[in-house]
Amino acid sequence: MARFEDEFTDVLFQKRENDIRHPGYESEMTFYHLIAQGRMKDMKEYRKSTPAFNAKERGVLSDDPIKNTMYHFVAMASLISRICISNGMEPEIAYEMSDVFIRRADKARSKEEIDATREVMIEAFTSEMGKRRNINVKSSQIILCLDYINDHLHDNISVTDLAEYVKLNETYLSKLFKKEMKCSISEHIRSQKVEEAKSLLRFSDKTSIEIATDLGFTSHSYFISVFKKEAGMTPREYRNENFRKF
């Protein structure tokens, strides 16, 4: 059996020669973050627009194509379940969902069957996390508002936009939102934008200024002020403590 050092050196050389790379850490963590936030639309769009998720190979774990696909499936199932737990899913639910999908994949007899099971698993976890986000909300209009806000965090969102979207009077919508969410619409939007900013500070290399611009804050100083109020520290301090940590 070849020494690990020799085999590892050879694999790195072959990958460099053939320009084969694993998906970037930032790309993967953005993908998992969207699942954990229950953002089905954004997750699907991100996968379509990100080359890493269109790659046929994500590293060779076995020379057997079916085993290789299965090993990647198990790794993804483990990561998704644990990231969902860290974002509020009950551990037993997450572990059981992961186990069920791994058993399904284990019965597959082709790469295509495993890939199909993977797609169902990704959407199932995303859907479950989306339900938890709205678990205490009763009215369909507020659920629609929350989904709209979640899908437009990088835009400027107004009460007028939401009222038109759910076809309600602005005043009535504001009162209904406050009653069910225990905060105003603007407070919720700010809170969600800060949560998105936290994710970008943890998993991307974007500067604080770039993040503030991307999330539609009127100025960098205002972004810092809002972030500190919500998170209890500045964006710089948050990144220093949390960069690329689960």
Side-chain angles (χ1 to χ4, degrees):
M1 181 180 292
R3 291 193 316 140
F4 166 76
E5 291 83 357
D6 295 335
E7 183 176 353
F8 184 63
T9 300
D10 182 60
V11 167
L12 287 180
F13 174 77
Q14 293 297 330
K15 285 184 176 292
R16 281 195 294 266
E17 285 294 299
N18 295 287
D19 196 29
I20 299 173
R21 297 180 177 85
H22 286 81
Y25 181 88
E26 181 181 334
S27 295
E28 285 208 294
M29 293 315 301
T30 298
F31 164 64
Y32 289 122
H33 168 71
L34 292 173
I35 293 175
Q37 293 297 311
R39 294 163 60 178
M40 186 75 74
K41 178 183 174 182
D42 288 345
M43 182 273 293
K44 289 182 177 180
E45 290 180 352
Y46 184 75
R47 294 186 74 199
K48 286 180 182 177
S49 65
T50 307
F53 295 105
N54 299 323
K56 293 182 178 180
E57 295 293 343
R58 294 168 58 82
V60 178
L61 305 180
S62 171
D63 292 330
D64 182 309
I66 295 179
K67 283 184 178 180
N68 187 56
T69 304
M70 183 63 192
Y71 292 154
H72 278 293
F73 181 96
V74 173
M76 177 177 282
S78 298
L79 270 172
I80 289 177
S81 61
R82 282 147 183 82
I83 289 173
C84 286
I85 289 171
S86 71
N87 281 269
M89 182 179 279
E90 300 87 336
E92 194 60 27
I93 296 296
Y95 292 142
E96 284 300 330
M97 286 181 66
S98 175
D99 291 349
V100 166
F101 282 114
I102 289 174
R103 287 197 296 272
R104 282 191 186 183
D106 187 53
K107 295 176 182 177
R109 294 294 174 262
S110 68
K111 288 177 58 179
E112 289 72 24
E113 286 182 46
I114 298 173
D115 286 341
T117 303
R118 181 192 65 213
E119 296 306 306
V120 174
M121 176 181 70
I122 290 170
E123 293 197 13
F125 270 100
T126 307
S127 177
E128 282 300 312
M129 292 305 291
K131 291 176 184 176
R132 278 158 177 75
R133 189 182 69 222
N134 299 332
I135 198 165
N136 295 317
V137 178
K138 297 177 182 178
S139 65
S140 60
Q141 292 96 334
I142 300 305
I143 290 175
L144 286 172
C145 282
L146 295 178
D147 287 338
Y148 183 94
I149 291 168
N150 225 33
D151 289 339
H152 294 81
L153 288 176
H154 293 263
D155 301 328
N156 290 315
I157 309 167
S158 68
V159 176
T160 301
D161 295 330
L162 291 170
E164 290 178 355
Y165 182 66
V166 299
K167 297 178 174 57
L168 287 178
N169 173 274
E170 288 183 36
T171 302
Y172 177 73
L173 174 61
S174 296
K175 290 180 178 179
L176 181 63
F177 194 97
K178 184 71 176 284
K179 178 182 178 181
E180 295 196 15
M181 296 300 296
K182 313 303 180 188
C183 67
S184 69
I185 292 174
S186 59
E187 288 170 342
H188 180 75
I189 292 172
R190 284 198 299 270
S191 174
Q192 293 306 108
K193 283 180 179 283
V194 168
E195 287 303 311
E196 180 72 356
K198 286 180 180 179
S199 177
L200 292 170
L201 288 165
R202 288 171 67 191
F203 303 125
S204 82
D205 293 316
K206 288 187 175 183
T207 66
S208 180
I209 294 175
E210 289 173 331
I211 292 171
T213 301
D214 287 349
L215 292 174
F217 284 90
T218 53
S219 70
H220 185 228
S221 59
Y222 178 60
F223 167 64
I224 293 174
S225 175
V226 171
F227 190 96
K228 187 172 183 179
K229 183 178 180 180
E230 292 281 340
M233 63 181 74
T234 67
R236 179 190 293 274
E237 291 168 339
Y238 185 86
R239 169 165 275 168
N240 288 341
E241 286 190 14
N242 298 280
F243 188 56
R244 293 189 174 175
K245 291 181 181 177
F246 285 109

